Amino acid sequence: MELNRIALLKKAYAQKSMGNYEKAIELLTQFRPANNHQDSLWVVKFSELALCHFLDKNFESSLAALAGIRNESIKSEQFYDIRLLKIVNLNSLYRFEEAKELMESAFVDCHLDCSQVDMIYRKRYLPKRRNPETAKNLSMIIPGSGHVYSGRFGEGGINFLLNAGALSFGVYHIYYGYFFSGYVIGFTLLHKFHSGGMHRAEILAEAKNLRDMTRFNESVINCFNRNRKIVLMD
């Protein structure tokens, strides 16, 4: 029975390493440790389940998995990783106050300087979430403005010019009586540039959110790991 449980766990590890997070989550859900919260495999199951949910960008599910781990069952070497995973999940949900409090409590427990935490969580350093729906709507009203909102100024300018060019082409040909080329070519291009620009603005907003949050979480992880080395050396 124990060998079967370990084999199932190893299958989940393999799926995780290949980036098949949904399959890994499915296997970990099937994994049944002994009916004892003190069982070390119980902690492994939920910590791995939380990590797979995080990598699959299911941050609420990741926090729920971490909530299944009892503090008294966590070994000292697992403490830092579990606490850090909670922090980056909270960051990814833009719950910065909670993440900061959790990181400060970890630093206090280890007798570390909390000023580093204050520096990382200063308001000017926090990622600002771009709403993909807002980016889409902005580009619907003024072509290219959603791209600018998402931080892509050059691409926004190009999108505006493409839309203006297609509109000008259509109006010019209709004015001089070339109705077929004006309507079929000009306004077909305008529709494609306009709808494509809206969709592109939505994608850019999501990409910027991911890029900014990844960079911020990396700074948190680096700070956490740097101080963990200090504690372990002591």
Side-chain angles (χ1 to χ4, degrees):
M1 185 66 177
E2 185 71 16
L3 289 175
N4 289 339
R5 290 196 299 161
I6 293 173
L8 188 62
L9 194 58
K10 287 184 176 180
K11 285 183 183 178
Y13 286 151
Q15 293 296 328
K16 183 186 73 172
S17 66
M18 292 186 291
N20 298 328
Y21 304 123
E22 288 185 8
K23 183 63 178 176
I25 289 166
E26 182 184 332
L27 290 168
L28 287 165
T29 304
Q30 295 172 16
F31 178 69
R32 292 286 184 271
N35 190 24
N36 177 6
H37 281 262
Q38 301 293 338
D39 185 356
S40 61
L41 288 179
W42 186 275
V43 178
V44 171
K45 169 185 174 168
F46 282 102
S47 58
E48 285 295 323
L49 192 58
L51 179 57
C52 287
H53 276 303
F54 174 77
L55 294 171
D56 204 32
K57 299 179 177 59
N58 298 319
F59 307 119
E60 291 285 5
S61 298
S62 182
L63 287 172
L66 289 170
I69 304 173
R70 294 184 178 179
N71 288 335
E72 62 268 21
S73 61
I74 303 173
K75 295 179 181 178
S76 57
E77 62 268 20
Q78 296 169 317
F79 171 81
Y80 295 100
D81 292 331
I82 291 172
R83 186 72 68 93
L84 180 56
L85 187 52
K86 285 183 181 179
I87 291 167
V88 294
N89 270 297
L90 290 169
N91 286 339
S92 299
L93 291 167
Y94 295 86
R95 290 159 59 178
F96 296 119
E97 284 298 322
E98 294 175 65
K100 181 183 177 184
E101 287 177 12
L102 191 58
M103 192 166 176
E104 283 178 334
S105 69
F107 273 49
V108 169
D109 290 344
C110 298
H111 308 290
L112 294 168
D113 181 12
C114 288
S115 64
Q116 300 172 75
V117 182
D118 290 330
M119 178 68 72
I120 289 174
Y121 282 92
R122 281 187 181 178
K123 190 173 181 179
R124 62 181 176 179
Y125 297 140
L126 298 178
K128 294 177 177 60
R129 185 177 182 275
R130 263 61 174 186
N131 190 323
E133 191 65 27
T134 300
K136 179 182 176 180
N137 292 335
L138 284 170
S139 279
M140 178 177 66
I141 299 167
I142 303 174
S145 59
H147 301 63
V148 173
Y149 168 76
S150 302
R152 301 294 287 269
F153 297 92
E155 193 169 335
I158 291 170
N159 185 257
F160 179 82
L161 291 174
L162 286 172
N163 279 273
L167 178 62
S168 300
F169 180 91
V171 170
Y172 176 86
H173 281 76
I174 290 171
Y175 181 79
Y176 284 102
Y178 302 107
F179 298 105
F180 180 82
S181 58
Y183 281 111
V184 175
I185 299 175
F187 289 114
T188 298
L189 284 174
L190 176 62
H191 173 71
K192 289 189 177 297
F193 288 146
H194 188 251
S195 60
M198 289 167 57
H199 181 61
R200 175 65 176 164
E202 198 172 14
I203 291 172
L204 288 174
E206 291 172 352
K208 180 165 179 57
N209 289 337
L210 178 60
R211 188 168 59 250
D212 289 350
M213 185 55 70
T214 300
R215 190 183 301 118
F216 180 73
N217 274 336
E218 282 175 356
S219 68
V220 170
I221 292 167
N222 289 337
C223 177
F224 210 90
N225 286 337
R226 187 168 59 248
N227 284 278
R228 174 164 62 176
K229 287 179 182 177
I230 295 171
V231 172
L232 292 176
M233 286 193 312
D234 290 343

